[in-house]
Structures are given as structure tokens and as C-alpha cells.
Amino acid sequence: HDKTYPQDIWQLPDTVTITIYNYIGQVMHIPTNKNGGKCEMDVNHLPAGVYNILYRNGNTAESIQFIKE
């Protein structure tokens, strides 16, 4: 199973929102499990490609890129 774990990069408060976009900016609807500052997203059904994870918490936003093989 392919999974990505943004908690490796950020400690996630409960107020955070996470959105995944494909390379052309479309929102990808991914099951997300947030629990105790950790987040797990099942990206198993995504086709291979480049994606961006956008992390928002209030006025703060950060993004990271990942490649699904």
C-alpha cells in the first residue's frame, strides 16, 4: 500500500486542513486520518504522477511535493 505521512514534516494540530492537488491543480479527494497530531493519507488509488500537499492552519500555509510511482 502506498501511503504518505505529512507528520514526518509537520506536527499537525487538529485545526489543520490538508488538500492534495495533481500537477494541473485539480483537487484529489483522498481519505485522510488525522489523530493526535499525525496524519495518514491513503494514496493507493492515485495514478502515478507528481502531486502537491497543501497544509493550512489559520493564516499559515505550506506545501510539499511528492511523486507517486
Side-chain angles (χ1 to χ4, degrees):
H1 293 280
D2 294 323
K3 294 188 180 185
T4 185
Y5 300 91
Q7 77 272 13
D8 293 339
I9 297 161
W10 304 302
Q11 182 65 8
L12 301 176
D14 291 336
T15 56
V16 77
T17 60
I18 296 172
T19 309
I20 296 181
Y21 297 93
N22 66 10
Y23 71 99
I24 60 172
Q26 295 172 314
V27 174
M28 308 307 294
H29 298 282
I30 306 296
T32 303
N33 180 20
K34 291 192 294 186
N35 185 11
K38 296 183 180 180
C39 180
E40 179 179 296
M41 291 176 279
D42 185 354
V43 296
N44 210 27
H45 71 284
L46 291 178
V50 178
Y51 297 88
N52 286 303
I53 301 174
L54 180 63
Y55 156 93
R56 286 191 186 125
N57 185 21
N59 292 330
T60 302
E62 295 183 47
S63 74
I64 60 168
Q65 191 176 76
F66 75 96
I67 298 172
K68 166 82 167 41
E69 296 180 344

